[in-house]
Amino acid sequence: MKTPAAPPEKKKSGKRDYVSAFAGVVAHFTSPHTSDEVLAELPQLLVTEFDAARAELWLWDDSSRSVYLTHTAGKSAEHTRDFVSAGSGVLGKVAENSKVVQSVALSTFGGEDQKFAQHSGFTHISAYPLLANGKLVGITAVYGPSAADEDQLKWWLLYSEVAGVALQEALASRESKKTITQLSLLFEATRLLNSTLDLGELLELILKIARS
């Protein structure tokens, strides 16, 4: 049996090389993993590779029209509830509209979001809908003690495209191991890669993935 590849190691010092981190994540998800491993790694990689202070994975349930918190990584913090209904608070609005929210102040939403900010020390959230065939399957949420910089936001958005593919495959093969191809990951990310990376970054990323 093939041993799943370990998540890319986080560098101990120096400025984060997000191009290398992204290439490593793509390579990581092309190796066989169980669905449970993938689900746990989706928020973990945001922390270890893209400097999120806290990241969460919420899965969508059609019957209740709610998202449920399933996995977390980074700094510990407790929500009052482990589910959010569509339309309620920031995550509920992301679930309802399937639209990205980046670096917004939790205080602007009030209610549970404001309470979470007060006891956790996190002031800002970025949330990314994860889609499968155009339908919501989950949300990744990233929290920080201040507004994120533009470079982080760019890479968190790119990561969400890969995360959407990985989550779709994990949910579709819950009982079996399945290899996710680099082609499918890159195809889904191409639109954002072309629009958010300059030519130098794009070429560097392609080379790094090709060598993985």
Side-chain angles (χ1 to χ4, degrees), residues 58-68 70 84-87 91-92 95-96 130 135-139 167 171:
W58 298 71
L59 295 183
W60 172 253
D61 175 62
D62 264 327
S63 60
S64 62
R65 290 194 54 75
S66 300
V67 286
Y68 290 82
T70 61
V84 177
S85 301
L91 292 177
E96 185 175 56
L130 306 179
K135 294 183 178 181
L136 183 74
V137 290
I139 296 172
L167 178 59
L171 295 178

Side-chain angles (χ1 to χ4, degrees), residues 38-98:
V38 172
L39 296 181
E41 288 165 357
L42 288 177
Q44 185 64 48
L45 290 170
L46 276 165
V47 173
T48 59
E49 300 305 307
F50 299 99
D51 298 323
R54 176 181 171 84
E56 300 172 344
L57 175 64
W58 298 71
L59 295 183
W60 172 253
D61 175 62
D62 264 327
S63 60
S64 62
R65 290 194 54 75
S66 300
V67 286
Y68 290 82
L69 180 62
T70 61
H71 295 82
T72 67
K75 182 182 175 184
S76 178
E78 294 292 331
H79 291 275
T80 305
R81 299 178 298 181
D82 63 356
F83 70 93
V84 177
S85 301
S88 175
V90 58
L91 292 177
K93 287 178 171 54
V94 172
E96 185 175 56
N97 302 319
S98 292

Side-chain angles (χ1 to χ4, degrees), residues 101-178:
V101 168
Q102 286 194 296
S103 200
V104 296
L106 286 165
S107 60
T108 62
F109 289 91
E112 295 299 322
D113 293 318
Q114 195 166 42
K115 290 178 183 177
F116 181 72
Q118 289 172 347
H119 70 69
S120 69
F122 295 124
T123 60
H124 288 71
I125 181 174
S126 296
Y128 304 89
L130 306 179
L131 307 177
N133 300 319
K135 294 183 178 181
L136 183 74
V137 290
I139 296 172
T140 50
V142 182
Y143 296 88
S146 61
D149 63 46
E150 290 185 9
D151 199 40
Q152 279 184 312
L153 294 176
K154 176 177 71 176
W155 288 101
W156 291 350
L157 183 61
L158 289 171
Y159 178 82
S160 72
E161 294 293 302
V162 172
V165 178
L167 178 59
Q168 178 182 355
E169 295 290 343
L171 295 178
S173 57
R174 200 95 195 211
E175 300 303 320
S176 64
K177 291 185 178 180
K178 191 171 183 179

